[in-house]
Amino acid sequence: MSVHLASVRDRACLIVHGPDRPGIVAAVSALITRNGGNIVALDQYTDDPEGGRFFQRVEFHRPGLAAASEEIEADLAKTLTPLGMEWQLTDQSIPKRMAILASTSDHCLLELLWRHRRGELPVTIPMVISNHTNVAEDVRSFGIPFFHVPSQGPDKSEAEARILELLGGNVDFVVLARYMQIISEDFLDQVGVPVINIHHSFLPAFIGAAPYRKAKERGVKLIGATSHYVTKDLDEGPIIEQDVARVDHAMTAHDLQARGAYVERAVLSRAVQWHAQDRVIRHGNHTIVFP
Amino acid sequence: MSVHLASVRDRACLIVHGPDRPGIVAAVSALITRNGGNIVALDQYTDDPEGGRFFQRVEFHRPGLAAASEEIEADLAKTLTPLGMEWQLTDQSIPKRMAILASTSDHCLLELLWRHRRGELPVTIPMVISNHTNVAEDVRSFGIPFFHVPSQGPDKSEAEARILELLGGNVDFVVLARYMQIISEDFLDQVGVPVINIHHSFLPAFIGAAPYRKAKERGVKLIGATSHYVTKDLDEGPIIEQDVARVDHAMTAHDLQARGAYVERAVLSRAVQWHAQDRVIRHGNHTIVFP
Amino acid sequence: MSVHLASVRDRACLIVHGPDRPGIVAAVSALITRNGGNIVALDQYTDDPEGGRFFQRVEFHRPGLAAASEEIEADLAKTLTPLGMEWQLTDQSIPKRMAILASTSDHCLLELLWRHRRGELPVTIPMVISNHTNVAEDVRSFGIPFFHVPSQGPDKSEAEARILELLGGNVDFVVLARYMQIISEDFLDQVGVPVINIHHSFLPAFIGAAPYRKAKERGVKLIGATSHYVTKDLDEGPIIEQDVARVDHAMTAHDLQARGAYVERAVLSRAVQWHAQDRVIRHGNHTIVFP
Amino acid sequence: MSVHLASVRDRACLIVHGPDRPGIVAAVSALITRNGGNIVALDQYTDDPEGGRFFQRVEFHRPGLAAASEEIEADLAKTLTPLGMEWQLTDQSIPKRMAILASTSDHCLLELLWRHRRGELPVTIPMVISNHTNVAEDVRSFGIPFFHVPSQGPDKSEAEARILELLGGNVDFVVLARYMQIISEDFLDQVGVPVINIHHSFLPAFIGAAPYRKAKERGVKLIGATSHYVTKDLDEGPIIEQDVARVDHAMTAHDLQARGAYVERAVLSRAVQWHAQDRVIRHGNHTIVFP
């Protein structure tokens, strides 16, 4: 659950998933051992003990990992392909490259930049893109490049094209830190990396716009926030993390929004951290999270 | 926020609501003082400082309250009627009479009975009614009368008539403690007292049946429960209290239900306690709760 | 984290701990596989990557477990003894036998009995022992034997001897459910099974008697409860679980105690469940909990 | 509970405390009404219904407040002095002046600066003082003056004298935002304004230095933070706010510290907000908080 950025040298993360079958944990463990690795963390989950799907995350230490990766990959292919399993091997010492898209609100954006500066997010941040300019100075004070891509009028295709051009080949995932523009299906088709969003409600309650106003109208006693992968179905993507805060009748919709900002930045930060550490496995419209 | 069952003798609760206007708090305070009362708790709320609606709850101690009530009521009428205010004066030493309707699940029911026995709910419980018999022995072991009113087939009118007959004149409010029957509009028209329900989801998410199954399908990371007043719009009544619990991908819908039971019994108990202590004011589809 | 009482037939739990070394996870996985087991859950932890101590919990399914246990034990001895590891193999289909010691308070006791009846605690309860008689009827209504062992005067040796006589050979662990008697070192020496206590504060704050009074005097804004294994050092044993609840200045010490009762019963129930499911490993004055 | 920075013009806050007696709420309400004020929020508390001490906080709107203050003060003196009550009248439109003392850690400091910039803290920040220089640039990027007052060696008197000189007449309260220097009694005698500290543990657990290391050693399952007024007894001052976060056996003392930072900044921010809004009344070693 904690962050261990120190000493991730020669630390690998292996994600394996596929049809569950007896002996799979042993097969993967043996593979790591015979390739010189020592397991330091292991989580696994089967969604149905009878013929379900199997998910495993293993962290292991392997001196000289970079040099050995090709060999390990070959062994993985030889071992897991016959079992119908898919896998992903990552070197934990190579931080993922994260782009942030933002609008005028700064609470999620600054929280990510600040956690990154503290060394709590294993990422690099090659750029922040906003359709507004108010956060430019703050972003640059963290030493992060800022790009302004205005987005006016109903046709977003030009803005999206400009953003895709900036992102192209430069990032491993994208975070929408209260980016107040609808992302088109085209954009998602072309971006080619995972996109993580923060929605300002406890989904599936208050889907769509103005959730705090709707929450006030319904008279709820808790408000929430949801971080999820973006899919073509707005607000329907796989949920990574959620949390709530208590509110009362005396709070206005504006008060709910102010209170909710603290939930949003915490929820998004946890989702980003888990994604960056390969702790989240997507499966259909669900996530398996090994925090 | 706490329970003070001891020494509620000569303790009155006054609820006042109506159009906000300057001096109303002072007018009510002066009225209580000139009638020999000493204010021990006071909460108030205005939903809009400009021409909004005013809500106040005052607890006061008045030696010889029972004898003085008529006189105080007369002063309230004289003072508040010209201001267009409504009010309700209750003697806190007279517990409200609460009927419980239940089905097979016992977690909410037993929690209420047990809290009542501990002296934490300022109510009497004249009866528990269930459309099943499995909880009969438990209920009677608490010294509470149990009535079995079966409810089979699509026509619930006979069962509802029988329940209304049992309740008639005997109760001040009704609690649906996981009572798994839809209440008809006719029933609500005739019952004449507030009805409090516990819904097994964080409303407005997962309205309707099988919320835990829906929660599992959506892959949420928190489940919740909601206690609300029952209105003719199913699951749409004014919310009194809500809470949540954390869940993860490894939990089945059945696990969510088991975990959720603990949230349900806590949320319903708080809602019942606050209602019984006149801490909840209904206003349209909202509640003002002074906990 | 969830309870899976259904289908624990042929389900084994293996706890392994000892000096950390490369390949230990693989060795244990291979052992389980070659003995016909299929791993369904696996957690492990090393307290220091460099020469630390290794802890592992594996649940596996093995058709015909009861018949194969001896063979598996032999393989464990052959495999793990040379590595200096200790282990414990349990059949999850055999519930642990839990005795409860109580005094006048019923909140922790009834919660355990009720969760047991719901099938949420994988234990049998051969007896409840109390130094008072007020809970006798409640206990027996759950079909559980009740024994009254009075404990008056400073010399507790007679009472403890009577309790040890009742427990002897009949239980796998003992739970002190707000048992308000100090347990002697002699008793702990002789009882021969783990003893779990619930302390009514957030240890190490407010060690000793009257923690709610002390909490009121100090003016804390949260109160807590702590479940721990009992050792000869009062209130100093390894902590299994803790939780807190919010309080405010208006609450009396009595109010804190009433609020705290709900924290106590929840914390103790989780600790008991985890212990019963072999999810807690003691190591020195710490616990490793794989919930 | 919420922040209402808009429209605090002509908004006054009156704190009254003294011996409880019948009619005091009515007397204060009448005073406000006859001075042209309209009560918008009222909280009160009596620590003992029989001869206890009475505490009241009233917010009221009074057009032309600034001009009328003297008159209202005179009426307060005339009305409350004979009753033995003390009072404090503040104009909510005049923000309190808050100095922040910090060391190398930036999490509490930046959170306060950022909340202030968002308009969520009703204060001005005339200066940040640190015994280190690493935060200077960040502080100044918020437009806040930064002063470096080094503090080396055992004799802190020179540094404290320099700090007192900077603060003198310029601030209404001081916040120690993880200021890692012991404050002398002399300093407290001379500073003449309230000093609020954040302690990195759930007091009274882990008093003194290195609480996260102690928490790790004791094996607690929750860590906490405590904001309190500073008194001459280290870590013993009146507690304003506390909160906790869940931790587990796998977290190192360093992990606890990283997790704890988020609790610290939240707890300190709430304490500062409540103090700035006159929601905290000190009484002996306790606080009455009307959030």
Side-chain angles (χ1 to χ4, degrees):
Chain A
M1 195 174 287
S2 58
V3 192
H4 302 280
L5 286 180
S7 66
V8 288
R9 211 165 93 86
D10 292 331
R11 182 75 68 97
C13 179
L14 173 65
I15 304 286
V16 174
H17 57 107
D20 193 16
R21 62 182 66 217
I24 181 72
V25 173
V28 172
S29 303
L31 184 149
I32 291 167
T33 301
R34 74 172 168 260
N35 281 279
N38 187 32
I39 294 173
V40 291
L42 190 158
D43 290 285
Q44 104 303 331
Y45 165 64
T46 303
D47 62 4
D48 187 345
E50 310 285 329
R53 199 162 174 86
F54 172 84
F55 304 88
Q56 188 178 23
R57 178 186 187 275
V58 196
E59 273 189 50
F60 61 92
H61 181 255
R62 204 295 189 185
L65 176 67
S69 282
E70 210 170 320
E71 207 174 335
I72 300 172
E73 287 276 8
D75 197 353
L76 282 163
K78 207 177 91 189
T79 308
L80 295 178
T81 306
L83 301 171
M85 310 298 284
E86 296 171 58
W87 71 91
Q88 171 201 309
L89 182 71
T90 50
D91 184 333
Q92 297 287 88
S93 69
I94 303 172
K96 290 188 170 46
R97 299 164 303 164
M98 169 177 83
I100 305 176
L101 271 62
S103 293
T104 51
S105 292
D106 68 357
H107 56 283
C108 287
L109 170 65
L110 292 185
E111 182 75 4
L112 290 173
L113 297 182
W114 179 75
R115 290 191 185 215
H116 174 249
R117 187 172 78 180
R118 274 171 87 77
E120 296 189 358
L121 292 180
V123 299
T124 58
I125 308 180
M127 67 189 73
V128 170
I129 301 169
S130 176
N131 57 331
H132 294 270
T133 57
N134 62 306
V135 296
E137 202 172 332
D138 274 336
V139 170
R140 286 175 180 149
S141 81
F142 280 91
I144 308 284
F146 174 87
F147 298 101
H148 178 223
V149 180
S151 178
Q152 278 146 348
D155 183 6
K156 309 295 183 195
S157 57
E158 198 183 335
E160 290 196 343
R162 173 72 178 126
I163 294 172
L164 286 169
E165 190 183 9
L166 287 164
L167 298 177
N170 292 322
V171 302
D172 296 308
F173 70 109
V174 174
V175 175
L176 309 181
R178 300 300 313 277
Y179 181 63
M180 303 306 279
Q181 300 286 323
I182 305 256
I183 300 287
S184 74
E185 295 197 16
D186 265 5
F187 182 94
L188 289 175
D189 282 339
Q190 291 174 60
V191 70
V193 295
V195 179
I196 294 174
N197 186 40
I198 179 74
H199 186 80
H200 41 322
S201 87
F202 182 76
L203 290 175
F206 310 126
I207 280 178
Y212 291 120
R213 185 173 51 71
K214 292 174 187 163
K216 177 66 185 173
E217 283 166 9
R218 182 62 187 89
V220 293
K221 303 301 185 185
L222 298 170
I223 55 167
T226 304
S227 184
H228 62 94
Y229 289 111
V230 177
T231 62
K232 294 177 184 184
D233 299 311
L234 191 66
D235 299 343
E236 297 283 359
I239 293 171
I240 305 170
E241 174 62 339
Q242 303 186 287
D243 216 337
V244 295
R246 193 159 278 275
V247 297
D248 67 29
H249 62 264
M251 298 173 77
T252 64
H254 180 267
D255 293 331
L256 300 191
Q257 183 178 334
R259 173 73 48 91
Y262 295 94
V263 187
E264 294 167 21
R265 71 176 184 173
V267 165
L268 181 60
S269 295
R270 288 201 293 268
V272 164
Q273 183 182 316
W274 294 339
H275 176 84
Q277 295 175 329
D278 297 303
R279 296 182 181 282
V280 188
I281 307 176
R282 286 175 68 160
H283 178 55
N285 206 43
H286 289 73
T287 60
I288 290 93
V289 181
F290 296 124
Chain B
M1 195 174 288
S2 58
V3 192
H4 301 282
L5 285 180
S7 64
V8 288
R9 211 166 93 86
D10 292 331
R11 182 75 69 97
C13 178
L14 174 66
I15 304 285
V16 173
H17 57 107
D20 193 16
R21 63 181 66 217
I24 182 71
V25 173
V28 171
S29 303
L31 183 150
I32 290 167
T33 301
R34 75 173 167 257
N35 282 279
N38 187 33
I39 293 173
V40 290
L42 190 159
D43 291 284
Q44 103 306 331
Y45 164 64
T46 302
D47 62 4
D48 187 344
E50 310 285 330
R53 198 159 175 87
F54 172 84
F55 304 89
Q56 188 179 24
R57 178 186 185 276
V58 196
E59 272 188 53
F60 60 92
H61 181 255
R62 203 295 187 185
L65 176 66
S69 282
E70 210 170 320
E71 208 174 334
I72 300 172
E73 286 277 8
D75 197 354
L76 283 163
K78 208 177 93 188
T79 308
L80 296 177
T81 306
L83 301 170
M85 311 297 284
E86 295 171 58
W87 71 92
Q88 172 201 308
L89 182 72
T90 51
D91 184 333
Q92 298 287 88
S93 69
I94 303 172
K96 290 190 171 43
R97 300 164 302 162
M98 169 177 83
I100 305 176
L101 270 62
S103 292
T104 53
S105 293
D106 68 357
H107 56 283
C108 288
L109 170 64
L110 292 184
E111 182 75 3
L112 291 174
L113 297 183
W114 179 75
R115 290 191 185 214
H116 174 249
R117 188 173 76 179
R118 274 171 86 79
E120 296 189 357
L121 292 179
V123 298
T124 58
I125 307 180
M127 68 188 75
V128 170
I129 300 169
S130 175
N131 56 332
H132 294 270
T133 57
N134 62 305
V135 296
E137 202 172 329
D138 274 336
V139 170
R140 288 177 180 148
S141 82
F142 280 90
I144 308 284
F146 174 86
F147 298 101
H148 179 222
V149 180
S151 178
Q152 278 146 350
D155 183 6
K156 309 294 183 195
S157 57
E158 199 183 333
E160 290 196 342
R162 174 72 178 127
I163 294 171
L164 286 169
E165 189 183 9
L166 287 164
L167 299 176
N170 292 320
V171 303
D172 296 308
F173 69 110
V174 174
V175 174
L176 309 181
R178 299 302 311 279
Y179 181 64
M180 303 305 279
Q181 301 286 325
I182 305 255
I183 300 286
S184 74
E185 295 197 16
D186 264 6
F187 183 93
L188 288 175
D189 282 339
Q190 291 175 59
V191 69
V193 294
V195 179
I196 294 174
N197 186 41
I198 178 73
H199 187 80
H200 41 322
S201 87
F202 182 78
L203 289 175
F206 310 126
I207 279 178
Y212 291 120
R213 185 173 52 70
K214 291 174 187 162
K216 177 67 185 171
E217 283 166 10
R218 183 61 188 91
V220 292
K221 303 301 185 185
L222 298 171
I223 54 167
T226 304
S227 185
H228 62 94
Y229 288 110
V230 177
T231 62
K232 294 178 184 184
D233 300 312
L234 192 65
D235 300 342
E236 297 283 0
I239 293 171
I240 306 170
E241 174 61 340
Q242 302 186 288
D243 215 337
V244 296
R246 193 158 278 275
V247 297
D248 66 29
H249 61 265
M251 297 173 78
T252 64
H254 179 266
D255 293 333
L256 301 191
Q257 183 178 334
R259 174 71 49 92
Y262 295 95
V263 187
E264 295 167 20
R265 71 175 185 173
V267 166
L268 180 60
S269 295
R270 288 201 292 267
V272 164
Q273 183 183 315
W274 294 337
H275 176 83
Q277 295 176 329
D278 297 304
R279 296 182 181 282
V280 188
I281 306 177
R282 287 175 69 161
H283 178 55
N285 205 42
H286 289 72
T287 61
I288 290 93
V289 181
F290 297 124
Chain C
M1 194 174 289
S2 59
V3 193
H4 300 281
L5 285 180
S7 66
V8 288
R9 211 166 92 86
D10 291 331
R11 182 74 68 98
C13 179
L14 174 65
I15 304 286
V16 174
H17 57 109
D20 193 15
R21 61 182 67 218
I24 182 71
V25 173
V28 171
S29 303
L31 183 150
I32 290 168
T33 300
R34 76 173 167 257
N35 282 279
N38 188 32
I39 293 173
V40 291
L42 189 157
D43 290 285
Q44 103 304 331
Y45 164 64
T46 303
D47 61 5
D48 187 345
E50 311 285 329
R53 198 160 175 87
F54 172 83
F55 304 88
Q56 188 177 25
R57 179 186 185 276
V58 196
E59 272 188 50
F60 60 93
H61 182 254
R62 204 293 187 187
L65 175 66
S69 282
E70 210 170 322
E71 209 174 333
I72 301 172
E73 287 277 8
D75 198 352
L76 283 164
K78 208 177 93 188
T79 308
L80 295 178
T81 307
L83 302 171
M85 311 297 285
E86 295 171 58
W87 70 91
Q88 171 201 309
L89 182 72
T90 50
D91 184 334
Q92 297 288 87
S93 69
I94 303 172
K96 288 188 172 45
R97 300 164 302 164
M98 169 177 82
I100 305 175
L101 270 61
S103 292
T104 52
S105 292
D106 69 356
H107 56 284
C108 288
L109 170 64
L110 292 184
E111 183 74 5
L112 290 174
L113 297 182
W114 179 75
R115 290 191 184 214
H116 174 249
R117 187 172 78 179
R118 273 171 88 78
E120 296 189 357
L121 292 180
V123 297
T124 58
I125 307 180
M127 68 188 74
V128 170
I129 300 170
S130 175
N131 56 331
H132 293 270
T133 58
N134 62 305
V135 296
E137 203 172 329
D138 275 336
V139 170
R140 287 177 179 147
S141 81
F142 280 91
I144 308 286
F146 174 86
F147 298 101
H148 178 224
V149 179
S151 179
Q152 278 147 348
D155 183 7
K156 309 294 184 195
S157 57
E158 200 183 333
E160 290 196 343
R162 173 72 179 129
I163 294 171
L164 287 169
E165 191 184 9
L166 286 165
L167 300 176
N170 292 321
V171 303
D172 296 309
F173 69 110
V174 174
V175 175
L176 308 182
R178 299 303 311 278
Y179 181 63
M180 304 305 279
Q181 300 286 324
I182 306 256
I183 300 288
S184 74
E185 294 197 15
D186 264 5
F187 182 93
L188 289 176
D189 282 339
Q190 291 175 58
V191 69
V193 295
V195 179
I196 294 173
N197 186 41
I198 178 74
H199 186 81
H200 41 320
S201 87
F202 182 76
L203 289 176
F206 309 126
I207 281 179
Y212 291 120
R213 185 173 52 71
K214 291 173 187 163
K216 177 66 186 172
E217 283 166 9
R218 183 61 187 90
V220 292
K221 302 301 186 185
L222 299 170
I223 54 166
T226 304
S227 185
H228 62 93
Y229 289 110
V230 177
T231 61
K232 294 177 185 185
D233 300 310
L234 191 67
D235 298 343
E236 298 283 359
I239 293 171
I240 306 170
E241 173 63 340
Q242 301 186 290
D243 215 336
V244 295
R246 193 159 279 276
V247 297
D248 67 29
H249 60 265
M251 297 173 77
T252 64
H254 180 266
D255 293 332
L256 300 191
Q257 183 178 334
R259 173 73 48 91
Y262 294 95
V263 186
E264 294 167 22
R265 70 176 186 173
V267 166
L268 181 60
S269 295
R270 289 201 292 268
V272 164
Q273 184 183 314
W274 294 338
H275 176 84
Q277 295 175 329
D278 296 304
R279 296 183 181 280
V280 188
I281 306 177
R282 286 174 70 160
H283 178 55
N285 205 42
H286 289 73
T287 61
I288 289 93
V289 181
F290 297 125
Chain D
M1 194 174 290
S2 58
V3 193
H4 301 280
L5 285 180
S7 67
V8 288
R9 209 166 94 87
D10 292 331
R11 182 76 67 99
C13 179
L14 173 65
I15 304 286
V16 174
H17 57 108
D20 193 17
R21 62 182 67 219
I24 181 72
V25 174
V28 171
S29 303
L31 183 150
I32 291 168
T33 301
R34 76 173 167 257
N35 281 279
N38 188 32
I39 293 173
V40 290
L42 189 158
D43 291 286
Q44 103 305 330
Y45 165 64
T46 303
D47 62 5
D48 187 346
E50 310 286 329
R53 198 161 175 87
F54 172 84
F55 304 88
Q56 188 178 24
R57 178 186 187 276
V58 197
E59 273 188 51
F60 61 93
H61 181 255
R62 204 293 188 186
L65 177 65
S69 282
E70 210 170 321
E71 207 174 336
I72 299 172
E73 288 275 9
D75 198 352
L76 282 163
K78 205 178 93 189
T79 307
L80 295 178
T81 307
L83 300 171
M85 310 298 285
E86 295 171 58
W87 71 93
Q88 171 200 309
L89 182 73
T90 52
D91 184 333
Q92 297 288 87
S93 70
I94 304 172
K96 290 189 170 43
R97 300 164 301 164
M98 170 178 81
I100 305 176
L101 270 62
S103 292
T104 52
S105 292
D106 68 356
H107 57 283
C108 287
L109 170 64
L110 292 184
E111 183 74 4
L112 291 174
L113 297 182
W114 178 75
R115 290 192 185 214
H116 174 249
R117 187 172 78 180
R118 274 171 88 77
E120 296 189 357
L121 292 180
V123 299
T124 58
I125 307 181
M127 67 188 75
V128 170
I129 301 169
S130 175
N131 55 330
H132 294 269
T133 58
N134 62 305
V135 296
E137 204 172 329
D138 274 336
V139 170
R140 286 175 179 147
S141 81
F142 280 91
I144 309 284
F146 173 87
F147 299 100
H148 177 222
V149 179
S151 178
Q152 278 145 349
D155 183 7
K156 309 295 182 195
S157 57
E158 199 183 333
E160 290 196 343
R162 173 74 178 124
I163 295 171
L164 286 169
E165 190 183 11
L166 287 164
L167 299 176
N170 292 321
V171 303
D172 296 308
F173 69 109
V174 174
V175 174
L176 308 181
R178 300 302 312 277
Y179 181 63
M180 304 305 279
Q181 300 286 324
I182 305 257
I183 300 286
S184 73
E185 294 197 16
D186 264 5
F187 183 93
L188 290 176
D189 282 339
Q190 291 175 59
V191 70
V193 295
V195 179
I196 293 174
N197 186 41
I198 178 73
H199 186 81
H200 40 324
S201 87
F202 182 77
L203 289 176
F206 310 127
I207 280 178
Y212 291 120
R213 185 173 52 69
K214 291 174 188 163
K216 177 66 185 172
E217 283 166 9
R218 183 59 188 92
V220 292
K221 302 302 184 185
L222 299 169
I223 54 166
T226 303
S227 185
H228 62 93
Y229 290 110
V230 177
T231 61
K232 294 176 184 185
D233 299 309
L234 192 67
D235 299 343
E236 297 283 359
I239 294 171
I240 305 170
E241 174 62 340
Q242 303 186 288
D243 216 338
V244 295
R246 192 159 279 274
V247 297
D248 67 29
H249 61 266
M251 298 173 77
T252 64
H254 179 266
D255 293 332
L256 299 191
Q257 184 178 334
R259 173 72 50 91
Y262 296 95
V263 187
E264 294 166 21
R265 71 176 184 174
V267 165
L268 181 61
S269 295
R270 289 201 292 269
V272 164
Q273 183 183 315
W274 293 338
H275 176 83
Q277 295 175 331
D278 297 304
R279 296 182 181 281
V280 189
I281 306 176
R282 286 175 70 162
H283 178 55
N285 206 44
H286 289 73
T287 61
I288 289 93
V289 181
F290 297 124

